[in-house]
């Protein structure tokens, strides 16, 4: 049997001959084919043993050395933890999807939502009226369908909890330093006669004794400390976190931590500032004093323990606080929203002597029902169009606000609702207007009007919106350039990108297009516009964790 190698025939007897031409150098210009023809004795080609060939699986097994050391218990434990977390994560994800499907079915069939055939047909008509911007904005909801990375989220949340506790501890220590009663230590130079006599025997004339040789004693003095508070008095407190309700990004993103003291019904608020990674500072924002409500049903009534809960508003007169930033002083009232409360301390301090104001509570409950009715009326109209309508309303209100004070009259609000095709019955509009126009001047802040008739996302969702904006606005200017948003936005983990239906650049461009449409300036985004965008996106999302995932995945928070 003759073998054919590169077109050259080789006989079996040629295998026994020695290859003498291997050691001779090749002549210049000689091709490989001519060299092969001149040298008939070629290298010996080993016989191909087909029986020695094995499958690829067996070959891969043979590659692994037999003397490989076994993995240690540490790596076995890590692998087992990773395997368990992945299984648990996908299990929770599948359960959440199943529950979401059931909730959607019950949501459509429950009498609470009053969804009949006409409402369903109206919703289909609204879906048919969706614009290109609406469809591009709805692409952001796809992040809610991606499974959560349990290990990464747990590590992030643990770090955030540690940082939050550190902030609260820093503020509590600063409050103690500022308000505790401190004894006055005598001046070392007060008793000049005794000091001179003692120093004359030990030190030459003209020299001052070192501090360790000076006599320092407590003595009677006319100097008095401003505070007579003790640590026991200051320990009966409730700590809470707050934010300023403002469209100004610098003010809205201030980190405020307050304390309410039950011994005298006073409160104080501090601002926590961080410079870089290691430098921090805690400054008084609202001085410790006894304050009262400045608007609403409780106007003129002193703050009490029952006024502190998540979502409650605290109002202060800016004229009483001269050290506030100029951007806040532009308005008459400073409105703070409580975002978190030390619930354990609050429950322990509550007693039977807490306010008994059943009439006010019932009035506030009826006010909430009025707003709930108008919100339910607009909910179906805003479904899947919330981003375009809310961002458009924000821009339109700014155009109507010629004076720049944020106040508009009833005719302006009705005109805006008509422009954006939001139908509100007169029986729902009039009661809500009477509640909002509590001072009777005929004008209402358009931000407050929008929050009242359309509603707003809860504080848990809004916390993540502020985190995302604060990450983008690292210079704390209150606005973010579009170029920075393009760099920071990551669409790699979007299900449509993973499946190949969209590229990362296409999804990023669709997001920027819808966001630019919400901005008054083409090259930057303000905090108010950023919040309006996600406020509209939040309307169509039922589950809080789904909304948080929409923010967490592209922004890495």
């Amino acid at each position: 049997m003759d073998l054919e190698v590169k077109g050259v025939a080789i006989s079996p007897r040629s295998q026994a001959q020695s290859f003498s031409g291997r050691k001779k150098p090749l002549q210049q210009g000689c091709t490989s084919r001519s060299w092969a023809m001149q040298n008939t004795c070629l290298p010996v080609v080993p016989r191909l043993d087909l029986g020695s060939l094995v499958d690829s699986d067996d070959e891969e097994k043979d590659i692994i050395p037999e003397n490989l050391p076994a993995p240690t218990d540490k790596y076995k434990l890590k692998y087992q933890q990773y395997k368990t977390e992945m299984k648990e994560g996908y299990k929770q994800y599948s359960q959440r999807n199943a529950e979401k499907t059931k909730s959607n079915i019950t949501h459509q069939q429950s009498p609470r939502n009053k969804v009949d055939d006409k409402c369903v047909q109206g919703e289909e008509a609204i879906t048919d009226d969706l614009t290109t911007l609406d469809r591009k904005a709805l692409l952001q909801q796809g992040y809610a369908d991606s499974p959560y990375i349990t290990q990464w989220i747990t590590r992030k949340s643990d770090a955030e909890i540690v940082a939050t506790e550190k902030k609260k501890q820093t503020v509590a220590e600063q409050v103690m330093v500022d308000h505790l009663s401190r004894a006055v230590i005598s001046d070392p130079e007060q008793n000049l006669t005794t000091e001179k006599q003692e120093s004359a025997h030990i030190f030459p004339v003209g020299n001052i004794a070192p501090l360790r040789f000076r006599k320092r004693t407590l003595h009677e003095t006319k100097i008095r400390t401003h505070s007579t508070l003790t640590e026991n008095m200051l320990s009966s407190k409730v700590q809470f976190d707050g934010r300023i309700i403002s469209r100004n990004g610098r003010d809205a993103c201030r980190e405020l931590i307050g304390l309410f003291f039950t011994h005298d019904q006073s409160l104080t608020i501090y601002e926590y500032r961080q410079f870089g990674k290691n430098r921090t500072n805690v400054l008084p924002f609202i001085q410790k004093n006894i304050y009262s409500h400045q608007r609403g049903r409780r106007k003129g009534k002193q703050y009490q323990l029952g006024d502190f809960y998540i979502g409650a508003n605290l109002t202060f007169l800016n004229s009483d606080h001269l050290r506030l930033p100029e951007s806040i002083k532009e308005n008459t009232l400073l409105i703070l929203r409580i975002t978190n409360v030390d619930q354990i301390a609050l429950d322990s301090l509550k007693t039977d002597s807490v306010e008994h104001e059943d009439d006010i509570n019932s009035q506030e409950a009826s006010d909430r029902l009025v707003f709930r009715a108008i919100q339910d009326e607009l909910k179906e109209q805003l479904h899947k169009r919330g981003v375009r309508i809310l961002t458009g309303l924000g821009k339109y209100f700014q155009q109507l606000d010629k004076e720049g004070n944020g106040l508009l009259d009833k005719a302006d609000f009705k005109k805006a609702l008509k422009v954006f095709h939001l139908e509100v019955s007169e029986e729902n509009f009039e009661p809500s207007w009477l509640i909002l126009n509590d001072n009777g001047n005929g004008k209402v802040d358009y931000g407050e009007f929008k929050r009242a008739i359309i509603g707003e996302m809860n504080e848990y969702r809004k916390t993540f919106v502020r985190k995302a904006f604060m990450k983008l606005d690292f210079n704390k200017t209150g606005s973010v350039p579009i170029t920075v948003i393009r760099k920071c936005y990551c669409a790699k983990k979007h299900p449509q990108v993973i499946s190949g239906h969209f590229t990362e650049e296409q999804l990023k461009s669709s997001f920027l297009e819808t966001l630019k449409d919400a901005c008054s300036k083409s090259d930057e985004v303000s905090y108010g516009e950023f919040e309006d965008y996600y406020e509209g996106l939040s309307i169509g999302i039922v589950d809080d964790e789904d909304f948080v995932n929409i923010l967490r995945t592209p922004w890495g928070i």
Side-chain angles (χ1 to χ4, degrees):
M1 176 181 178
D2 295 338
L3 296 177
E4 187 80 6
V5 179
K6 292 184 179 180
V8 181
I10 301 177
S11 60
R13 57 191 176 186
S14 64
Q15 298 177 5
Q17 297 179 359
S18 62
F19 178 59
S20 60
R22 185 182 182 91
K23 297 182 180 179
K24 294 180 181 181
L26 296 176
Q27 296 180 0
Q28 295 181 356
C30 180
T31 61
S32 61
R33 182 174 182 81
S34 62
W35 177 81
M37 295 296 294
Q38 294 173 4
N39 298 276
T40 57
C41 298
L42 295 176
V44 178
V45 179
R47 184 179 295 275
L48 183 62
D49 187 6
L50 298 177
S52 63
L53 297 178
V54 294
D55 295 336
S56 59
D57 296 338
D58 298 335
E59 189 176 357
E60 290 177 359
K61 292 180 181 178
D62 295 337
I63 294 175
I64 303 175
E66 297 179 355
N67 58 349
L68 187 68
T72 60
D73 295 338
K74 177 182 176 181
Y75 288 101
K76 285 182 179 179
L77 181 61
K78 284 186 176 181
Y79 175 76
Q80 191 64 29
Q81 290 176 349
Y82 170 77
K83 186 177 179 181
T84 305
E85 288 177 356
M86 291 297 294
K87 287 184 177 180
E88 189 65 25
Y90 281 103
K91 181 180 178 181
Q92 292 178 1
Y93 172 67
S94 59
Q95 289 177 354
R96 284 167 50 80
N97 280 345
E99 292 174 359
K100 195 189 303 182
T101 305
K102 291 180 181 179
S103 64
N104 290 338
I105 296 174
T106 55
H107 177 75
Q108 293 178 0
Q109 296 177 352
S110 62
R112 176 186 174 186
N113 294 285
K114 300 179 181 180
V115 179
D116 53 4
D117 295 338
K118 293 182 179 180
C119 292
V120 174
Q121 292 174 1
E123 185 177 349
E124 292 176 355
I126 292 174
T127 306
D128 294 336
D129 294 337
L130 293 179
T131 64
T132 305
L133 288 176
D134 292 332
R135 292 188 177 90
K136 290 183 177 181
L138 290 174
L139 284 174
Q140 298 300 309
Q141 296 185 4
Y143 288 110
D145 297 331
S146 59
Y148 303 116
I149 306 174
T150 309
Q151 185 177 5
W152 180 78
I153 293 175
T154 304
R155 193 185 309 118
K156 279 278 189 181
S157 61
D158 291 344
E160 290 176 358
I161 291 172
V162 172
T164 302
E165 291 300 325
K166 184 178 179 181
K167 291 177 186 178
K168 292 180 180 180
Q169 184 65 25
T170 304
V171 172
E173 291 175 357
Q174 188 64 41
V175 170
M176 289 294 181
V177 170
D178 292 344
H179 298 286
L180 274 179
S181 175
R182 295 181 290 275
V184 179
I185 299 179
S186 62
D187 186 0
E189 303 294 336
Q190 64 170 343
N191 194 346
L192 298 178
T193 305
T194 307
E195 192 73 25
K196 288 180 179 179
Q197 290 177 356
E198 291 179 356
S199 61
H201 297 285
I202 303 175
F203 302 97
V205 179
N207 292 346
I208 300 177
L211 185 62
R212 64 180 179 275
F213 291 110
R214 300 186 189 185
K215 188 176 182 180
R216 297 172 62 84
T217 58
L218 292 175
H219 68 291
E220 294 183 2
T221 177
K222 294 181 180 180
I223 301 175
R224 295 181 181 275
T225 53
H226 295 288
S227 175
T228 58
L229 299 175
T230 63
E231 190 172 354
N232 289 334
M233 293 180 179
L234 294 177
S235 62
S236 299
K237 63 182 183 298
V238 174
Q239 197 169 35
F240 59 91
D241 299 337
R243 64 177 179 88
I244 301 175
I245 297 181
S246 173
R247 292 183 66 85
N248 186 307
R250 295 190 64 181
D251 296 332
C253 293
R254 294 181 186 271
E255 298 184 70
L256 303 179
I257 300 176
L259 296 102
F260 177 76
F261 302 97
T262 56
H263 75 278
D264 60 352
Q265 306 293 308
S266 64
L267 66 89
T268 182
I269 298 175
Y270 279 69
E271 181 181 3
Y272 183 89
R273 294 183 181 180
Q274 186 163 356
F275 309 93
K277 293 184 178 180
N278 300 322
R279 290 185 57 197
T280 59
N281 198 1
V282 179
L283 298 174
F285 193 78
I286 299 294
Q287 297 292 335
K288 185 178 182 298
N289 206 339
I290 299 174
Y291 295 99
S292 303
H293 295 270
Q294 299 301 322
R295 66 173 307 172
R297 298 288 186 183
R298 299 176 184 268
K299 184 177 180 179
K301 294 188 176 294
Q302 183 178 317
Y303 285 114
Q304 298 183 4
L305 197 62
D307 296 324
F308 295 88
Y309 55 88
I310 296 177
N313 289 341
L314 306 179
T315 52
F316 303 91
L317 288 175
N318 289 333
S319 57
D320 296 339
H321 308 280
L322 302 179
R323 295 184 180 181
L324 291 176
E326 294 297 328
S327 58
I328 298 178
K329 289 182 181 178
E330 294 176 356
N331 300 320
T332 306
L333 287 179
L334 169 64
I335 304 177
L336 300 182
R337 173 70 57 83
I338 296 179
T339 59
N340 192 22
V341 178
D342 185 358
Q343 195 64 40
I344 298 176
L346 184 65
D347 294 339
S348 64
L349 292 173
K350 278 185 176 180
T351 58
D352 295 334
S353 61
V354 177
E355 58 190 300
H356 298 282
E357 301 180 19
D358 296 335
D359 295 338
I360 294 180
N361 291 334
S362 60
Q363 290 175 358
E364 291 177 343
S366 63
D367 292 346
R368 286 193 291 269
L369 290 176
V370 171
F371 291 134
R372 180 63 61 85
I374 195 170
Q375 289 171 12
D376 292 342
E377 189 176 0
L378 291 174
K379 188 174 182 180
E380 292 297 330
Q381 302 177 45
L382 291 170
H383 185 61
K384 295 187 178 181
R385 298 188 302 160
V387 173
R388 180 168 57 87
I389 291 180
L390 262 69
T391 55
L393 274 175
K395 291 170 63 176
Y396 189 74
F397 285 148
Q398 290 180 2
Q399 294 174 4
L400 295 177
D401 183 18
K402 304 297 182 182
E403 299 179 1
N405 56 7
L407 300 177
L408 298 175
D409 57 18
K410 184 193 292 187
D412 292 331
F413 289 121
K414 286 190 173 182
K415 182 180 178 182
L417 294 175
K418 186 176 180 180
V419 168
F420 286 90
H421 306 287
L422 296 176
E423 299 178 0
V424 179
S425 61
E426 197 68 22
E427 61 181 4
N428 286 333
F429 184 86
E430 285 300 327
S432 62
W433 175 259
L434 292 175
I435 297 172
L436 292 172
N437 188 27
D438 54 354
N439 52 12
N441 63 354
K443 291 191 175 183
V444 173
D445 181 83
Y446 60 78
E448 184 179 356
F449 177 84
K450 190 167 64 172
R451 290 190 295 270
I453 68 165
I454 296 178
E456 59 179 329
M457 66 180 91
N458 57 38
E459 291 304 317
Y460 178 70
R461 297 188 181 195
K462 194 155 288 190
T463 299
F464 283 88
V465 175
R466 293 172 63 237
K467 283 181 181 179
F469 188 83
M470 290 169 67
K471 182 178 180 179
L472 298 171
D473 185 22
F474 46 85
N475 290 328
K476 301 185 185 302
T477 59
S479 60
V480 181
I482 290 291
T483 54
V484 174
I485 293 180
R486 176 177 285 275
K487 290 179 181 178
C488 296
Y489 185 85
C490 178
K492 290 181 180 179
K493 297 181 181 179
H494 194 283
Q496 296 288 344
V497 175
I498 296 174
S499 62
H501 290 84
F502 288 92
T503 64
E504 185 180 355
E505 187 60 31
Q506 286 175 339
L507 200 67
K508 184 183 294 186
S509 299
S510 67
F511 168 74
L512 291 175
E513 184 180 349
T514 54
L515 187 62
K516 284 181 181 179
D517 185 70
C519 303
S520 56
K521 297 181 180 180
S522 60
D523 57 343
E524 67 178 17
V525 181
S526 67
Y527 172 77
E529 294 162 347
F530 190 82
E531 185 183 56
D532 286 344
Y533 180 90
Y534 281 102
E535 191 81 60
L537 200 63
S538 175
I539 294 176
I541 301 171
V542 178
D543 192 86
D544 286 343
E545 292 303 326
D546 287 343
F547 179 80
V548 169
N549 208 36
I550 290 174
L551 281 160
R552 179 184 283 134
T553 306
W555 301 117
I557 56 174

